[in-house]
Amino acid sequence: MEKSTLIFSNNLDCCLKQTIQNTNDLLYNLQSIKQLQCNIENIQKIKNKLQIPINMTALSYLRQYILKEENGDYLLHNLIRKYYPLNDSQILEFEDKYYYLNGIHSGYYITNMNVVRRKGISFQMQNKTYIAKGSIDLLKEITFTDINQYNIWEISIPSSEELYEYNPNIDFHKDDRILSRKALCTKYRNALSINEMISWDWDLVKDIKNGYCGSWDEKGIINLCHNYGFIAQMGVGRVNQTLDQLQEIGKFDEAIIEKTKIFYSDKEYLLYSYLPLSKEFITLHQDELDWTVLQRNPRINWDFELINMLLKKINSTICESDRTKHLEGTYSMYTAIKDFLNDEILNDIIKLYYR
């Protein structure tokens, strides 16, 4: 937008006489502005004509690689719902996850940060109530910037350990709730120990350990030992060394470590599923990786072919009743298709697949 404004300004400067000495100069400038406006309108007409085949091509790609596959419409719906900059009518169409109060359907969760940024953390439209409180989808996407700017702390997220369990974006190093020795903060440390998709390092492990007054809470120890994302990031080929170093920091029962070493003895390629993998690696080892993990791994660089492969793998390896729970999608997946989406294409998709 800024670039277009600058181009318009430069063109206008070229067309206008900068010093107006008489009525003829004024008339000349008015005619120049009128001609420029005419040129802009002609360019817009050409752009509108070109947009039609562009939209047709984009829709063709979406249909070929995603929508033609079983559950492809479900995956695309989730990606649009969580990441597309929804306008009001699209909110009514896509923000469709119910929340319940005292067992009664009371409204809909806001699951899209773009909606929060534009509409706030709660609002009503057409007698429908939308709230951000308790939305796991939103918890996975928010950053500290979002939290502070949009007052998301006010919707009881800080009283819930789920932020620590699910969010892969926030840096929890030196976090007050992790370092605090208050007993009630144990739940935050234990929740963080489950988080598979944050960036793990030994400093964060030491923060967790330092938060305990005495010995490391056993639940937290078990959580971290069985956290595939943590183990993978510390080194797929050095699982035993990772566990030994964890025990050295935590000073807990060595029997837990020995059992865990046996547990991981046959899970090398499962662990790879939690790492930032290339398309080539995924394609080569597609039958050894866990696609239910890959689909929620925020570090994968997705493209149409990989998304298509994901749908085929989920449909062929997961029982029908469980498939949709493994097709929630990530922002990195949305990035692969966002340039193929606009309001006109969404209108066509809604008419063809969601009505």
Side-chain angles (χ1 to χ4, degrees):
M1 186 66 182
E2 291 180 2
K3 186 176 180 180
S4 299
T5 303
L6 182 60
I7 292 173
F8 178 86
S9 177
N10 290 339
N11 287 339
L12 190 59
D13 285 341
C14 291
C15 292
L16 299 182
K17 288 186 176 182
Q18 301 302 313
T19 302
I20 299 176
Q21 296 180 345
N22 52 48
T23 304
N24 288 334
D25 290 339
L26 179 59
L27 289 172
Y28 175 86
N29 279 354
L30 289 173
Q31 290 172 346
S32 296
I33 292 173
K34 186 175 181 180
Q35 183 60 48
L36 183 60
Q37 179 63 37
C38 182
N39 291 340
I40 291 172
E41 289 174 356
N42 288 335
I43 290 171
Q44 185 61 49
K45 289 177 182 177
I46 294 171
K47 181 182 176 183
N48 291 341
K49 289 181 180 178
L50 289 173
Q51 192 63 46
I52 294 173
I54 290 172
N55 285 354
M56 291 176 64
T57 301
L59 184 57
S60 176
Y61 268 86
L62 291 167
R63 295 178 73 171
Q64 178 182 351
Y65 288 99
I66 300 177
L67 291 167
K68 76 170 186 178
E69 299 294 339
E70 184 180 356
N71 297 312
D73 57 339
Y74 181 85
L75 174 62
L76 185 61
H77 180 281
N78 284 335
L79 293 173
I80 293 169
R81 172 177 59 81
K82 292 194 291 185
Y83 305 115
Y84 187 83
L86 302 172
N87 61 36
D88 283 3
S89 63
Q90 291 162 351
I91 289 172
L92 294 169
E93 185 74 38
F94 288 98
E95 286 281 33
D96 54 2
K97 296 195 77 173
Y98 302 144
Y99 76 84
Y100 294 87
L101 185 63
N102 298 323
I104 300 173
H105 171 214
S106 302
Y108 300 87
Y109 285 122
I110 304 171
T111 63
N112 187 315
M113 270 309 304
N114 295 302
V115 172
V116 172
R117 293 173 185 129
R118 190 169 66 84
K119 303 285 286 185
I121 60 175
S122 63
F123 56 89
Q124 285 193 320
M125 286 199 312
Q126 295 189 7
N127 297 320
K128 291 182 177 181
T129 300
Y130 294 87
I131 64 167
K133 181 178 179 179
S135 171
I136 299 298
D137 289 304
L138 206 60
L139 286 175
K140 293 178 180 179
E141 302 304 327
I142 62 175
T143 66
F144 269 132
T145 301
D146 293 323
I147 289 169
N148 295 328
Q149 186 170 354
Y150 300 99
N151 295 320
I152 296 178
W153 286 123
E154 295 179 3
I155 62 172
S156 301
I157 284 177
S159 67
S160 170
E161 61 271 28
E162 290 171 332
L163 179 67
Y164 293 81
E165 181 175 345
Y166 293 111
N167 188 285
N169 306 314
I170 294 175
D171 183 358
F172 293 106
H173 288 80
K174 307 304 178 186
D175 183 272
D176 289 342
R177 289 181 178 80
I178 300 304
L179 293 172
S180 173
R181 298 197 169 189
K182 294 179 181 178
L184 62 87
C185 287
T186 297
K187 66 180 181 180
Y188 298 112
R189 287 185 286 272
N190 288 348
L192 184 60
S193 298
I194 297 173
N195 193 323
E196 297 174 322
M197 297 303 177
I198 59 167
S199 296
W200 280 101
D201 57 40
W202 290 114
D203 288 337
L204 189 55
V205 174
K206 290 174 183 176
D207 282 353
I208 293 174
K209 170 61 173 66
N210 292 337
Y212 294 102
C213 295
S215 60
W216 196 326
D217 181 79
E218 185 171 338
K219 182 178 179 180
I221 295 169
I222 299 298
N223 286 348
L224 198 54
C225 283
H226 290 85
N227 184 329
Y228 291 177
F230 162 69
I231 297 294
Q233 290 180 54
M234 293 300 101
V236 173
R238 58 184 305 275
V239 173
N240 289 351
Q241 295 94 314
T242 295
L243 292 169
D244 287 338
Q245 188 166 348
L246 179 61
Q247 201 280 330
E248 179 63 26
I249 293 171
K251 306 296 183 185
F252 45 76
D253 188 351
E254 290 187 14
I256 295 175
I257 295 299
E258 295 308 313
K259 290 180 182 178
T260 307
K261 288 178 180 178
I262 296 172
F263 175 78
Y264 282 110
S265 61
D266 61 348
K267 294 179 171 59
E268 179 175 352
Y269 272 101
L270 172 63
L271 295 176
Y272 275 110
S273 305
Y274 293 85
L275 299 177
L277 305 177
S278 68
K279 179 181 178 180
E280 291 72 23
F281 185 94
I282 294 172
T283 303
L284 182 62
H285 298 284
Q286 58 183 279
D287 295 328
E288 300 159 284
L289 297 169
D290 186 336
W291 286 86
T292 66
V293 175
L294 289 178
Q295 74 89 25
R296 56 190 178 85
N297 183 341
R299 301 178 180 90
I300 302 297
N301 291 321
W302 293 91
D303 63 14
F304 274 102
E305 290 180 343
L306 274 183
I307 294 174
N308 184 260
M309 193 181 299
L310 164 71
L311 288 165
K312 291 180 184 299
K313 288 293 182 182
I314 294 297
N315 288 331
S316 65
T317 60
I318 304 298
C319 67
E320 186 174 357
S321 60
D322 291 336
R323 288 172 190 168
T324 54
K325 75 172 66 172
H326 297 299
L327 291 172
E328 290 297 312
T330 61
Y331 182 76
S332 58
M333 198 179 296
Y334 171 74
T335 300
I337 66 170
K338 68 177 182 178
D339 290 338
F340 290 77
L341 296 171
N342 58 44
D343 289 349
E344 290 79 14
I345 292 173
L346 252 63
N347 287 337
D348 289 338
I349 290 173
I350 289 170
K351 292 174 185 176
L352 290 169
Y353 293 94
Y354 302 128
R355 290 286 173 83

